[in-house]
Amino acid sequence: SLPENAQIEDELFDKINSAMLVRVKDRIPNVRIQAVLALSRLQDPKDSDCPVVNVYCNLIENDSNSEVRRAVLSCIGPSAKTLSKIVGRTMDVKEAVRKLAYQVLAEKVHMRALTIAQRVRLLQQGLNDRSDSVKEVVLKQLLQAWLCQAEGNALELLHRLDVESCPEVGLLALNALFSLSPCSDLIQNFSDLSERKVIPVEKLSAENAVFWRALCEYLKSKGEEGEEFLEHLLPEPAVYADYVLSYLQTMPVLTPEEKEDMTCIEHLM
């Protein structure tokens, strides 16, 4: 195999390129796979008219053989043109293709390259996938990569998932992350509560409110193991009632239409 910085003459490049572009249409899947691999170093993801990229985009969606689709996934360079094709393979009928698609997204694509809608959909699909191995890749690779890109800050990750508009995916992501740590660590890492065991109103945000809720629900689901830790998170009923009142008093006057739709407040509180 050639080193990364290897160069070949234009004439040889054209011959290889032409021959492999013919072979990707071969009736034998293994021949198509080898052609896909051979073309990898000849693609130019920055060129929207690159013939190799165009062939990859066609094969990744339309080749009937899942191993060919996997080969393309392993080779295709992420770009504005190819990103939607890579994301689309997370819904492939074959488990191995879906799994590799999530791995490619975790390793080669920055979270900021994805729209908020794509981020939300990827987590919703991946963490609810029918395959345990796919769910494991989403949890241990994709979600961890995104958390790293948020500098390890779970609240920043929630912000990038727009939990104010879609708290459900935030809860799903947090429950997955919580499952990787002991309960004692989860309590220590949440330092937003005051001595009264509430988040000060002036510091309250959609992100830390969702985190507080998710952590309480997660610990409650752990039964006796989580009960002792819940005491550090739940305020007395009278304190919480006063807290809710103080929060509502800070809100601007609502129009009749806004009063009819209190969904956002229910999500936060």
Side-chain angles (χ1 to χ4, degrees), residues 165-236:
S165 300
C166 186
E168 292 79 10
V169 74
L171 294 170
L172 184 66
L174 287 173
N175 281 328
L177 290 173
F178 292 161
S179 68
L180 300 177
S181 302
C183 295
S184 56
D185 287 355
L186 298 176
I187 294 295
Q188 291 175 1
N189 292 335
F190 185 50
S191 58
D192 287 8
L193 298 183
S194 68
E195 293 180 357
R196 301 173 71 212
K197 301 177 187 176
V198 294
I199 301 172
V201 171
E202 63 274 13
K203 295 182 180 180
L204 188 63
S205 66
E207 291 78 25
N208 59 19
V210 167
F211 190 97
W212 186 19
R213 170 187 167 183
L215 185 53
C216 289
E217 290 179 346
Y218 177 77
L219 292 174
K220 184 177 180 181
S221 73
K222 303 298 286 183
E224 292 184 7
E225 180 188 353
E227 282 295 328
E228 60 178 298
F229 297 104
L230 265 178
E231 296 179 5
H232 300 286
L233 298 177
L234 296 178
E236 295 294 328

Side-chain angles (χ1 to χ4, degrees), residues 70-135:
R70 285 186 77 246
V72 177
L73 263 177
S74 68
C75 294
I76 194 168
S79 67
K81 181 173 183 174
T82 64
L83 183 56
S84 63
K85 309 294 184 184
I86 297 171
V87 171
R89 287 310 91 207
T90 62
M91 296 182 287
D92 199 279
V93 295
K94 291 293 185 177
E95 172 188 323
V97 179
R98 298 198 303 277
K99 182 177 177 180
L100 181 58
Y102 282 112
Q103 289 174 326
V104 169
L105 289 169
E107 296 169 5
K108 299 181 180 180
V109 178
H110 196 284
M111 188 181 186
R112 292 191 185 280
L114 301 162
T115 65
I116 291 175
Q118 285 176 322
R119 300 169 197 171
V120 169
R121 188 165 61 250
L122 285 170
L123 286 185
Q124 286 177 328
Q125 288 172 181
L127 292 174
N128 289 305
D129 197 277
R130 57 185 178 274
S131 163
D132 289 338
S133 66
V134 173
K135 285 189 280 192

Side-chain angles (χ1 to χ4, degrees), residues 2 5-14 16-17 41-42:
L2 294 172
N5 59 350
Q7 295 183 347
I8 59 175
E9 295 180 358
D10 290 345
E11 185 180 351
L12 178 58
F13 176 96
D14 291 338
I16 296 173
N17 199 46
R41 299 280 291 278
L42 307 184

